[in-house]
Amino acid sequence: MLKFGPKDKRTRVVLLSSLATSLLLINLFLLGALATNMFRGEMAYTQVDMAAGAIFVFVITMIISMSLWPKIMDRLESREEGKKAS
């Protein structure tokens, strides 16, 4: 039977954190685009613009968050280890 070690668990946590971050930012992007269309009398963005923008935001935020979340987790772990050592 295969057992997942701490490294596998951390990789999964980073992936899930990155997905959650990306989905949150996509929702904010779409909310802003829809609000812009509602507050203007005419359509500022088409549905194709919003879909393409959402895909772009997803890809960019996944790239950025996949590089940032491991660093954030390292800092949190080192802070916890520092408190345990004291």
Side-chain angles (χ1 to χ4, degrees), residues 19-53:
L19 280 171
T21 303
S22 295
L23 292 175
L24 176 73
L25 290 174
I26 286 172
N27 286 332
L28 290 175
F29 168 79
L30 289 175
L31 182 67
L34 290 172
T36 301
N37 277 348
M38 285 176 34
F39 291 129
R40 289 188 177 189
E42 64 209 41
M43 286 215 19
Y45 304 110
T46 64
Q47 289 181 352
V48 174
D49 291 337
M50 289 188 276

Side-chain angles (χ1 to χ4, degrees), residues 2-4 7 9-10 17 20 23-24 27 32 39 50 54 57 60 78 80 83:
L2 181 65
K3 290 189 177 185
F4 294 106
K7 190 169 186 169
K9 185 177 180 182
R10 182 180 175 147
S17 300
L23 292 175
L24 176 73
N27 286 332
F39 291 129
M50 289 188 276
V57 168
I60 293 298
S78 66
E80 287 178 8
K83 287 181 181 178

